[in-house]
Each structure stands twice: as C-alpha cells, then as structure tokens.
Amino acid sequence: MKDVCEPPTALPRSLLVLGGTSEIALAITRRLIARRTRTVWLAGRPSLALEQAAESLRALGADTRTVAFDALDPGSHDAALGKVFAEGPVDMVLLAFGVLGDQAHDERDPARAVQVVQTNYTGAVSAGLVAGRALQSQGHGSFVVLSAAAERARRSDFIYGSSKAGLDVFAQGLGDALHGTGVHVMVVRPGFVRTRRTAERPPASLATTPEAVATAVELGLRRRSETVWVPGALRLVASALRHAPRALMRRLG
Ligand SMILES: NC(=O)c1ccc[n+]([C@@H]2O[C@H](COP(=O)([O-])OP(=O)(O)OC[C@H]3O[C@@H](n4cnc5c(N)ncnc54)[C@H](OP(=O)(O)O)[C@@H]3O)[C@@H](O)[C@H]2O)c1
C-alpha cells in the first residue's frame, strides 16, 4: 500500500550513478527501473565492465548511457556532470564510487593511503558540490550517498573508515545546506555487504546484500529519509558503540 505522505515523485524517472559499475549501485538501479526509472546515466572510468553494466540495464528497458567520470580528477567533474544535466532533468544522483584499499599495505605506503582518501573523500566532495549545485538549479532531486557505518575507528580499516567518516559528515552538511531548496540528500550507511569486493573478507555480523540495500534505499526515498542504516538494526549497534571505551573498540578489531 502507498504511504499517504509519499510525494508523487519520490522515486526517480531519471538517475545518474557516479560509480556505474558498483555492484550495490546496480542493485539499486535495477530496483528503481522495476519501479519507475526510465533514463539512466552510468558515470565511471571507461571500461568493458561499464559498457556491460549499461547493456544489462538496457535489457531491462531503461534508456542507458555512459559518461566518463574519474573521482581522482576533480577538475573534470563540472564538465562530466554538466554534460548529463544538459541532456535533461536528473531526478536522482547516486554517489556510489569508492575503494576499500588494502589497510595493511597502505599503512606502509602513504601514497596509496592518500589515493584511497582522495577517491572516497576528496573526489566525493568535488562531485557532491557539483551535483548539489546542479540539482539546486533545476529545483528538485535526490542526492543519495553510499557512506558506511564508520563512526568509530577500527584497527583493521581505519584508512578507509576515516575517508567514509569524512564523506558522511560532508553529505550531512550538504543536506543541511540544500534543505528547503527542493533537493533531498540521503546518507545510506550499510554495514558489511556481501559483494565481489568483500568476497575475500570474513563475513561480519549483521552482513547484508546489495538487494537489501536497494530495498532500504527505495523505502528511504519514499519516506524522504535523511539517514538510512542497512540493516536497520545497525543503528542500534552504532548507537551502543558510540560511547564504547577505546580499549573495547581495540578488542573488537
Ligand atoms: N561492499 C560493502 O561491504 C560496502 C559497505 C558499506 C559501504 N560501501 C560503499 O558502497 C559503495 C559501493 O560499493 P560496492 O560494494 O558496490 O563496490 P564496487 O562494486 O567495488 O564498486 C566501486 C565503484 O567505485 C568505482 N571507482 C573506484 N575508483 C574510482 C575512480 N577513481 N573514479 C570513478 N569511479 C571509481 C568503481 O569503478 P571501476 O569499475 O572503474 O573500478 C566502481 O564502480 C562504495 O562507496 C563503498 O565504499 C560498501
């Protein structure tokens, strides 16, 4: 049954995905195509995988195009996103790019650590400001950010975690800056998602799937939520951990 408070355009007709080969983003996109989405732009580093992702969405009936986008080249973001917005209104921008890095290796190679941070944080700040301005100019739209449950530092992935924590605070602030402009910013905080990129990691408790993230994103859009945890129970865990002593966090690893 439809939520009576749901705005008529809660789900997008047109969608721009930054990080067009992301497994989670593609699950979200498939879900939105099944509901309402007809036009999709997949932005990413040009590759066969990007073209195959576009082809798979065309097979579902969505008019899908690709556009070159590199998070590590902020100087190109204006032109890359401008090209998409020039073609017509974009109802939703999904920021999905990100790299996990290799914590043990990156601790010994600061240049690699910086690349993780520049991709996940600096690249997102640049793309987020460009997308936010474009959405504000058209007067409507959602900006959905795939963040992470990274409020507390963890010994095992604090380089990635710190970049995601920065991204999360940035996205919250952008949401406040755009409040009242018709643009809705939604921060999505998944826990451990079983994907190709996490396949070699031991599964964490409360592990979830790309499809579950997609379901939560759809619900969040319908409710115009500002924050979405996946699974929902993670919010309670994060709340308990928020004040946990450092010594306990170290033991949790
Ligand atoms: N999987 C999890 O457990 C999990 C949990 C919480 C949050 N997240 C976040 O959710 C998002 C999607 O994750 P995923 O599991 O779907 O990962 P994924 O399948 O590895 O997708 C990552 C995406 O980032 C893109 N990317 C990497 N560097 C880029 C760059 N310099 N410029 C443009 N695009 C770049 C990749 O493009 P290429 O094809 O060019 O490499 C790919 O499209 C990420 O931000 C991740 O941090 C994931």
Side-chain angles (χ1 to χ4, degrees), residues 73 91 101 111 135 172:
D73 183 14
D91 299 330
L135 291 169
Q172 292 177 51

Side-chain angles (χ1 to χ4, degrees), residues 135-160:
L135 291 169
Q136 187 176 2
S137 297
Q138 69 179 17
H140 80 277
S142 294
F143 183 53
V144 178
V145 177
L146 292 186
S147 175
E151 281 185 21
R152 295 296 303 268
R154 287 191 312 180
R155 172 67 190 93
S156 56
D157 73 350
F158 66 83
I159 296 172
Y160 169 80

Side-chain angles (χ1 to χ4, degrees), residues 19-25 44-45 47 69-72 96-99 119 146-148 160 164 190-198:
T21 62
S22 147
E23 205 173 330
I24 298 175
R45 296 179 289 192
S47 67
F69 169 83
D70 186 347
L72 289 171
F97 60 80
V99 288
T119 305
L146 292 186
S147 175
Y160 169 80
K164 284 294 185 180
F192 183 96
V193 186
R194 284 186 223 98
T195 59
R196 280 187 309 272
R197 84 177 192 150
T198 58

Side-chain angles (χ1 to χ4, degrees), residues 75-209:
S76 67
H77 292 178
D78 235 337
L81 273 68
K83 185 174 160 183
V84 176
F85 279 84
E87 294 281 331
V90 177
D91 299 330
M92 171 173 153
V93 179
L94 172 61
L95 192 154
F97 60 80
V99 288
L100 214 46
D102 175 341
Q103 174 76 32
H105 178 274
D106 298 349
E107 279 180 35
R108 296 189 302 272
D109 185 350
R112 285 277 301 271
V114 165
Q115 203 171 31
V116 171
V117 175
Q118 284 182 335
T119 305
N120 296 351
Y121 179 64
T122 316
V125 168
S126 167
L129 291 173
V130 171
R133 194 182 56 216
L135 291 169
Q136 187 176 2
S137 297
Q138 69 179 17
H140 80 277
S142 294
F143 183 53
V144 178
V145 177
L146 292 186
S147 175
E151 281 185 21
R152 295 296 303 268
R154 287 191 312 180
R155 172 67 190 93
S156 56
D157 73 350
F158 66 83
I159 296 172
Y160 169 80
S162 65
S163 70
K164 284 294 185 180
L167 166 66
D168 197 288
V169 171
F170 167 76
Q172 292 177 51
L174 187 65
D176 292 340
L178 294 173
H179 187 74
T181 65
V183 180
H184 159 228
V185 177
M186 185 165 89
V187 178
V188 182
R189 295 180 185 151
F192 183 96
V193 186
R194 284 186 223 98
T195 59
R196 280 187 309 272
R197 84 177 192 150
T198 58
E200 298 194 343
R201 302 194 164 207
S205 52
L206 291 180
T208 187
T209 62

